[in-house]
Amino acid sequence: MTDLLPRLLAVLVLLVVATAAWWLTERRRGSLRTTRTEREGAVTLETLRAATGRQLAEPGRPVVVQLSSEVCTPCRASARTWTLVGGEDVTLVELDAAEHLDLVRTLGVMRTPTSLVFDHTGTAVGRVSGAPTATQAREIVGGLVGAGRAA
């Protein structure tokens, strides 16, 4: 009986730690986090163009670059959300993470979808890990479009 109590306590502690870790990761899902330019090497649309070898957007428009994978169901939902919410004001570019592993490593992408958000000047504003809700996407797009019109 005395051996059972420490084991139950260990299981309880493990459950609490696992729950806290899950909660911390889920509460950040879909929200815009500002980029750390010193860690990411000042990511711009130009650096992504150089890494991918393709023109990602027209100059002067906000862009969302989503790193996806072929078997990722949340990636499809995220792309639909960005397209519906962004409409004509924001360009969505999807990149297959498997085809751009160097870029994924450089940017520290740990999950798909990860969306990099760029303003109308082509400068990274932030990143979104996971699929954003429509409300989260509207807030992000509203900030991008409003900043572009004010400039």
Side-chain angles (χ1 to χ4, degrees):
M1 186 68 171
T2 58
D3 190 34
L4 185 60
L5 188 59
R7 288 181 183 182
L8 286 175
L9 189 58
V11 168
L12 181 63
V13 168
L14 182 62
L15 284 173
V16 167
V17 168
T19 302
W22 172 82
W23 181 78
L24 286 171
T25 57
E26 282 303 304
R27 83 182 179 121
R28 289 184 5 186
R29 181 183 59 83
S31 62
L32 182 70
R33 294 181 313 176
T34 56
T35 53
R36 297 181 191 160
T37 53
E38 67 278 356
R39 187 189 82 199
E40 295 178 8
V43 177
T44 64
L45 282 176
E46 183 57 32
T47 58
L48 287 179
R49 186 201 59 74
T52 61
R54 60 187 259 213
Q55 184 66 30
L56 298 176
E58 321 165 8
R61 283 185 60 143
V63 180
V64 174
V65 177
Q66 178 173 294
L67 291 155
S68 305
S69 62
E70 192 174 313
V71 296
C72 171
T73 302
C75 294
R76 291 188 290 276
S78 178
R80 248 188 332 273
T81 300
W82 286 121
T83 301
L84 289 173
V85 170
E88 299 292 320
D89 296 324
V90 177
T91 302
L92 172 67
V93 177
E94 284 192 83
L95 297 177
D96 187 349
E99 292 177 11
H100 303 286
L101 290 177
D102 288 340
L103 183 62
V104 167
R105 283 187 202 101
T106 300
L107 296 173
V109 173
M110 302 302 272
R111 68 189 281 193
T112 58
T114 293
S115 302
L116 304 173
V117 180
F118 296 89
D119 65 11
H120 66 284
T121 66
T123 304
V125 174
R127 73 167 37 192
V128 177
S129 294
T133 64
T135 302
Q136 290 169 325
R138 269 190 218 97
E139 289 175 7
I140 294 166
V141 168
L144 290 174
V145 173
R149 289 187 180 140

